[in-house]
Amino acid sequence: GPALLFVKTSQGKEEGRRFYACSACRDRKDCNFFQWEDEKVSETRLAAREEYNRSHQPPFTHRQNVDRYKNFVLLPLSKRRFCQECQQLLLPAEWEKHSDHQFLCDITTAQLKSPSQLLYPLENKKTNAQYLFADRSCQFLLSLLTDLGFRRVLSVGTPRLHEMIQSKASQEDEFSVRSLLLDIDFRYSQFYTEDEFCHYNMFNHHFFGGEAARETCRKFLYEEKGERVIMVTDPPFGGLVEALASSFKKLMAMWKETEKEGRDNKEMPMFWIFPYFFESRILDFFPSFSMMDYQVDYDNHALYKHGKTGRRQSPVRIFTNLTPSMIVLPEEEGYRFCSVCQRYVSSGNQHCEICNSCTSKDGRRWKHCVLCKKCVKPSWFHCANCNCCTLQKHSCEKADVGCFVCGKAGHKRSACPSLSRT
């Protein structure tokens, strides 16, 4: 889809040179697209790019994959094969072509209903970073959504939550929640119809299926019979918050357009799952959001696990525009309700009388610094040279380093007033 516009800056210079690069891949090895904003591109180069794009298309379209799936489920168990190398369901006529590849045989219906466990997670941190919710987090999210009365979930980059909803809907007659998965991983088109999955890039709000896919999303967001919709998203943590926020606002606007009446000042309900240290960036774009204390954990991430202590706890949280008191966190995991803050907090998050808030972000008990006029991490101490709290073993020289863009002290590059916020 469309590229994003970046700026290349040199230290001490306010003016930078602007260029276009891939919105999804931050590593040139994964996508070598680069073009200066003011550059004139020759016809030859344009043709070469078109040819490159054509040669990198998936072997089948979404519609073809849906038809292949229908044929695949009719096969006896002994003829159901999955090529691990090509990450593809195979029909018997295709076995010969993949004869020197690794197979998974006897693919069951249960495996087909859990594609996130059948497919290899794409774990390139600079491109996909496909970390999948642990069962504990997935179960919690789903029970929370149903308790809150949501009957439709727009699952943006949350394949495991989507498949849990799909699986329950097919097994339990009284389960009335529906989900639409928007994800950049086209492999999921092998398992879901066009009404269940849209190939989507959340960094530039691009539907690869064009207007038909956009219409599928728009229809899903239309709240008929009072079926409330919520968006749940779990983006790659290395992704640009600005780009993500822009796409999410466009999805929210799409929801608002579906029913003009009474939505003038309303926001589409949303759960944005992201590490707590991005709180200020998210609140810059969504001032109505607040961060919950619930620790989200992942199956295939070495560090982001629930139940670990100190700094080893998962830093991933839920940011939401719903009223915090509505988000009930499990008491059996140590969460409790703070009557002053009117929200559930972790057991180590003690209410600070001076800040008048439960201030801990990472699950440990934080301490109040009178000089900084705020609560800080328990391992931090006030440094007179830096005039702020920091780790005991730190280099005070860093305090003198100015902004990378303009060279002035007092702010970082990301907050430099010289940079345009467009």
PDB file of all heavy atoms in Angstrom, residues 4 14 17 30 51 54 83 112 125 130 134 248 277 290 306 322 364 419:
ATOM      1  N   LEU A   4       4.980   5.836   3.612  1.00  0.00           N
ATOM      2  CA  LEU A   4       4.874   6.930   4.583  1.00  0.00           C
ATOM      3  C   LEU A   4       5.976   7.949   4.309  1.00  0.00           C
ATOM      4  O   LEU A   4       7.040   7.604   3.799  1.00  0.00           O
ATOM      5  CB  LEU A   4       5.017   6.404   6.016  1.00  0.00           C
ATOM      6  CG  LEU A   4       3.878   5.553   6.578  1.00  0.00           C
ATOM      7  CD1 LEU A   4       4.161   5.189   8.030  1.00  0.00           C
ATOM      8  CD2 LEU A   4       2.534   6.253   6.484  1.00  0.00           C
ATOM      9  N   GLU A  14      17.891  22.374  11.513  1.00  0.00           N
ATOM     10  CA  GLU A  14      16.433  22.323  11.644  1.00  0.00           C
ATOM     11  C   GLU A  14      15.780  21.717  10.407  1.00  0.00           C
ATOM     12  O   GLU A  14      14.806  21.001  10.499  1.00  0.00           O
ATOM     13  CB  GLU A  14      15.868  23.729  11.906  1.00  0.00           C
ATOM     14  CG  GLU A  14      16.199  24.226  13.302  1.00  0.00           C
ATOM     15  CD  GLU A  14      15.482  25.510  13.650  1.00  0.00           C
ATOM     16  OE1 GLU A  14      14.466  25.828  13.000  1.00  0.00           O
ATOM     17  OE2 GLU A  14      15.934  26.202  14.570  1.00  0.00           O
ATOM     18  N   ARG A  17      15.737  16.478   4.989  1.00  0.00           N
ATOM     19  CA  ARG A  17      15.260  16.110   3.647  1.00  0.00           C
ATOM     20  C   ARG A  17      14.217  15.009   3.784  1.00  0.00           C
ATOM     21  O   ARG A  17      14.425  14.024   4.494  1.00  0.00           O
ATOM     22  CB  ARG A  17      16.432  15.624   2.789  1.00  0.00           C
ATOM     23  CG  ARG A  17      16.054  15.572   1.310  1.00  0.00           C
ATOM     24  CD  ARG A  17      17.224  15.244   0.422  1.00  0.00           C
ATOM     25  NE  ARG A  17      16.786  15.138  -0.975  1.00  0.00           N
ATOM     26  CZ  ARG A  17      17.517  14.618  -1.941  1.00  0.00           C
ATOM     27  NH1 ARG A  17      18.732  14.180  -1.692  1.00  0.00           N
ATOM     28  NH2 ARG A  17      17.038  14.539  -3.180  1.00  0.00           N
ATOM     29  N   ASP A  30      13.991  -6.045   4.262  1.00  0.00           N
ATOM     30  CA  ASP A  30      12.651  -6.615   4.062  1.00  0.00           C
ATOM     31  C   ASP A  30      11.902  -5.907   2.936  1.00  0.00           C
ATOM     32  O   ASP A  30      11.119  -6.517   2.224  1.00  0.00           O
ATOM     33  CB  ASP A  30      11.832  -6.527   5.357  1.00  0.00           C
ATOM     34  CG  ASP A  30      12.482  -7.304   6.485  1.00  0.00           C
ATOM     35  OD1 ASP A  30      12.828  -8.472   6.258  1.00  0.00           O
ATOM     36  OD2 ASP A  30      12.666  -6.732   7.569  1.00  0.00           O
ATOM     37  N   GLU A  51       6.903  -4.431 -11.809  1.00  0.00           N
ATOM     38  CA  GLU A  51       7.255  -5.834 -12.053  1.00  0.00           C
ATOM     39  C   GLU A  51       7.640  -6.529 -10.746  1.00  0.00           C
ATOM     40  O   GLU A  51       7.250  -7.670 -10.487  1.00  0.00           O
ATOM     41  CB  GLU A  51       8.418  -5.894 -13.068  1.00  0.00           C
ATOM     42  CG  GLU A  51       8.870  -7.299 -13.440  1.00  0.00           C
ATOM     43  CD  GLU A  51       7.721  -8.227 -13.842  1.00  0.00           C
ATOM     44  OE1 GLU A  51       6.826  -7.803 -14.596  1.00  0.00           O
ATOM     45  OE2 GLU A  51       7.722  -9.389 -13.371  1.00  0.00           O
ATOM     46  N   ARG A  54       4.508  -7.206  -8.773  1.00  0.00           N
ATOM     47  CA  ARG A  54       3.754  -8.320  -9.370  1.00  0.00           C
ATOM     48  C   ARG A  54       4.365  -9.664  -8.980  1.00  0.00           C
ATOM     49  O   ARG A  54       3.669 -10.610  -8.647  1.00  0.00           O
ATOM     50  CB  ARG A  54       3.734  -8.178 -10.901  1.00  0.00           C
ATOM     51  CG  ARG A  54       2.395  -7.670 -11.444  1.00  0.00           C
ATOM     52  CD  ARG A  54       2.271  -7.905 -12.940  1.00  0.00           C
ATOM     53  NE  ARG A  54       3.367  -7.310 -13.691  1.00  0.00           N
ATOM     54  CZ  ARG A  54       3.391  -6.042 -14.098  1.00  0.00           C
ATOM     55  NH1 ARG A  54       2.373  -5.252 -13.834  1.00  0.00           N
ATOM     56  NH2 ARG A  54       4.419  -5.563 -14.771  1.00  0.00           N
ATOM     57  N   CYS A  83       1.944 -27.712   4.072  1.00  0.00           N
ATOM     58  CA  CYS A  83       3.374 -27.531   3.805  1.00  0.00           C
ATOM     59  C   CYS A  83       3.930 -26.489   4.776  1.00  0.00           C
ATOM     60  O   CYS A  83       3.531 -25.321   4.745  1.00  0.00           O
ATOM     61  CB  CYS A  83       3.601 -27.069   2.365  1.00  0.00           C
ATOM     62  SG  CYS A  83       5.342 -26.773   2.001  1.00  0.00           S
ATOM     63  N   LEU A 112      -7.593 -26.630  11.932  1.00  0.00           N
ATOM     64  CA  LEU A 112      -8.054 -25.649  10.943  1.00  0.00           C
ATOM     65  C   LEU A 112      -8.759 -24.474  11.610  1.00  0.00           C
ATOM     66  O   LEU A 112      -8.764 -23.363  11.085  1.00  0.00           O
ATOM     67  CB  LEU A 112      -8.993 -26.315   9.932  1.00  0.00           C
ATOM     68  CG  LEU A 112      -8.363 -27.338   8.984  1.00  0.00           C
ATOM     69  CD1 LEU A 112      -9.437 -28.038   8.165  1.00  0.00           C
ATOM     70  CD2 LEU A 112      -7.336 -26.682   8.065  1.00  0.00           C
ATOM     71  N   LYS A 125      11.149  -8.477  14.334  1.00  0.00           N
ATOM     72  CA  LYS A 125      10.744  -7.324  15.148  1.00  0.00           C
ATOM     73  C   LYS A 125      10.537  -6.054  14.324  1.00  0.00           C
ATOM     74  O   LYS A 125       9.782  -5.186  14.701  1.00  0.00           O
ATOM     75  CB  LYS A 125      11.790  -7.051  16.240  1.00  0.00           C
ATOM     76  CG  LYS A 125      11.781  -8.083  17.349  1.00  0.00           C
ATOM     77  CD  LYS A 125      12.618  -7.598  18.526  1.00  0.00           C
ATOM     78  CE  LYS A 125      12.582  -8.594  19.671  1.00  0.00           C
ATOM     79  NZ  LYS A 125      13.599  -9.604  19.603  1.00  0.00           N
ATOM     80  N   GLN A 130       4.965 -10.760  15.256  1.00  0.00           N
ATOM     81  CA  GLN A 130       3.676 -11.411  15.461  1.00  0.00           C
ATOM     82  C   GLN A 130       3.680 -12.218  16.761  1.00  0.00           C
ATOM     83  O   GLN A 130       3.877 -13.427  16.754  1.00  0.00           O
ATOM     84  CB  GLN A 130       3.400 -12.321  14.265  1.00  0.00           C
ATOM     85  CG  GLN A 130       1.937 -12.592  14.014  1.00  0.00           C
ATOM     86  CD  GLN A 130       1.773 -13.355  12.711  1.00  0.00           C
ATOM     87  OE1 GLN A 130       2.444 -14.339  12.470  1.00  0.00           O
ATOM     88  NE2 GLN A 130       0.883 -12.898  11.872  1.00  0.00           N
ATOM     89  N   ALA A 134      -1.379 -15.147  25.038  1.00  0.00           N
ATOM     90  CA  ALA A 134      -1.469 -16.399  25.789  1.00  0.00           C
ATOM     91  C   ALA A 134      -2.951 -16.676  26.055  1.00  0.00           C
ATOM     92  O   ALA A 134      -3.781 -15.753  26.032  1.00  0.00           O
ATOM     93  CB  ALA A 134      -0.707 -16.273  27.103  1.00  0.00           C
ATOM     94  N   PHE A 248      -6.187   4.286  13.149  1.00  0.00           N
ATOM     95  CA  PHE A 248      -7.274   3.977  14.084  1.00  0.00           C
ATOM     96  C   PHE A 248      -8.346   5.068  14.062  1.00  0.00           C
ATOM     97  O   PHE A 248      -9.537   4.788  14.184  1.00  0.00           O
ATOM     98  CB  PHE A 248      -6.733   3.768  15.507  1.00  0.00           C
ATOM     99  CG  PHE A 248      -5.749   2.622  15.619  1.00  0.00           C
ATOM    100  CD1 PHE A 248      -4.811   2.577  16.649  1.00  0.00           C
ATOM    101  CD2 PHE A 248      -5.756   1.592  14.695  1.00  0.00           C
ATOM    102  CE1 PHE A 248      -3.912   1.533  16.740  1.00  0.00           C
ATOM    103  CE2 PHE A 248      -4.851   0.532  14.774  1.00  0.00           C
ATOM    104  CZ  PHE A 248      -3.927   0.502  15.804  1.00  0.00           C
ATOM    105  N   PHE A 277       5.059   2.089  28.620  1.00  0.00           N
ATOM    106  CA  PHE A 277       5.958   3.233  28.424  1.00  0.00           C
ATOM    107  C   PHE A 277       5.597   4.073  27.198  1.00  0.00           C
ATOM    108  O   PHE A 277       6.239   5.069  26.911  1.00  0.00           O
ATOM    109  CB  PHE A 277       7.435   2.799  28.383  1.00  0.00           C
ATOM    110  CG  PHE A 277       7.708   1.473  27.724  1.00  0.00           C
ATOM    111  CD1 PHE A 277       7.808   1.377  26.355  1.00  0.00           C
ATOM    112  CD2 PHE A 277       7.861   0.323  28.489  1.00  0.00           C
ATOM    113  CE1 PHE A 277       8.072   0.161  25.747  1.00  0.00           C
ATOM    114  CE2 PHE A 277       8.125  -0.905  27.890  1.00  0.00           C
ATOM    115  CZ  PHE A 277       8.232  -0.992  26.507  1.00  0.00           C
ATOM    116  N   SER A 290      -7.429   5.927  28.843  1.00  0.00           N
ATOM    117  CA  SER A 290      -6.719   5.714  30.116  1.00  0.00           C
ATOM    118  C   SER A 290      -6.130   4.312  30.092  1.00  0.00           C
ATOM    119  O   SER A 290      -6.597   3.438  29.357  1.00  0.00           O
ATOM    120  CB  SER A 290      -7.641   5.912  31.320  1.00  0.00           C
ATOM    121  OG  SER A 290      -8.850   5.204  31.143  1.00  0.00           O
ATOM    122  N   HIS A 306       3.057 -13.376  32.189  1.00  0.00           N
ATOM    123  CA  HIS A 306       2.396 -13.010  33.440  1.00  0.00           C
ATOM    124  C   HIS A 306       3.008 -13.804  34.594  1.00  0.00           C
ATOM    125  O   HIS A 306       3.470 -14.920  34.421  1.00  0.00           O
ATOM    126  CB  HIS A 306       0.904 -13.340  33.330  1.00  0.00           C
ATOM    127  CG  HIS A 306       0.171 -13.213  34.629  1.00  0.00           C
ATOM    128  ND1 HIS A 306      -0.067 -11.998  35.216  1.00  0.00           N
ATOM    129  CD2 HIS A 306      -0.352 -14.154  35.448  1.00  0.00           C
ATOM    130  CE1 HIS A 306      -0.718 -12.200  36.348  1.00  0.00           C
ATOM    131  NE2 HIS A 306      -0.900 -13.487  36.509  1.00  0.00           N
ATOM    132  N   LEU A 322     -13.098   3.511  27.283  1.00  0.00           N
ATOM    133  CA  LEU A 322     -14.247   3.162  28.131  1.00  0.00           C
ATOM    134  C   LEU A 322     -13.997   3.685  29.544  1.00  0.00           C
ATOM    135  O   LEU A 322     -12.850   3.887  29.948  1.00  0.00           O
ATOM    136  CB  LEU A 322     -14.445   1.642  28.180  1.00  0.00           C
ATOM    137  CG  LEU A 322     -14.791   0.944  26.848  1.00  0.00           C
ATOM    138  CD1 LEU A 322     -14.889  -0.559  27.056  1.00  0.00           C
ATOM    139  CD2 LEU A 322     -16.096   1.476  26.272  1.00  0.00           C
ATOM    140  N   ARG A 364       5.029  -2.674  40.390  1.00  0.00           N
ATOM    141  CA  ARG A 364       5.750  -2.532  41.665  1.00  0.00           C
ATOM    142  C   ARG A 364       5.228  -1.302  42.403  1.00  0.00           C
ATOM    143  O   ARG A 364       4.634  -0.422  41.795  1.00  0.00           O
ATOM    144  CB  ARG A 364       7.252  -2.360  41.404  1.00  0.00           C
ATOM    145  CG  ARG A 364       7.905  -3.557  40.738  1.00  0.00           C
ATOM    146  CD  ARG A 364       9.382  -3.295  40.465  1.00  0.00           C
ATOM    147  NE  ARG A 364       9.579  -2.280  39.439  1.00  0.00           N
ATOM    148  CZ  ARG A 364      10.766  -1.744  39.143  1.00  0.00           C
ATOM    149  NH1 ARG A 364      11.836  -2.109  39.815  1.00  0.00           N
ATOM    150  NH2 ARG A 364      10.872  -0.838  38.188  1.00  0.00           N
ATOM    151  N   LEU A 419      10.197  20.212  14.479  1.00  0.00           N
ATOM    152  CA  LEU A 419       9.637  19.171  13.607  1.00  0.00           C
ATOM    153  C   LEU A 419       8.146  19.416  13.377  1.00  0.00           C
ATOM    154  O   LEU A 419       7.402  19.651  14.310  1.00  0.00           O
ATOM    155  CB  LEU A 419       9.812  17.779  14.242  1.00  0.00           C
ATOM    156  CG  LEU A 419      11.210  17.173  14.186  1.00  0.00           C
ATOM    157  CD1 LEU A 419      11.200  15.817  14.873  1.00  0.00           C
ATOM    158  CD2 LEU A 419      11.680  16.990  12.757  1.00  0.00           C
TER     159      LEU A 419
END
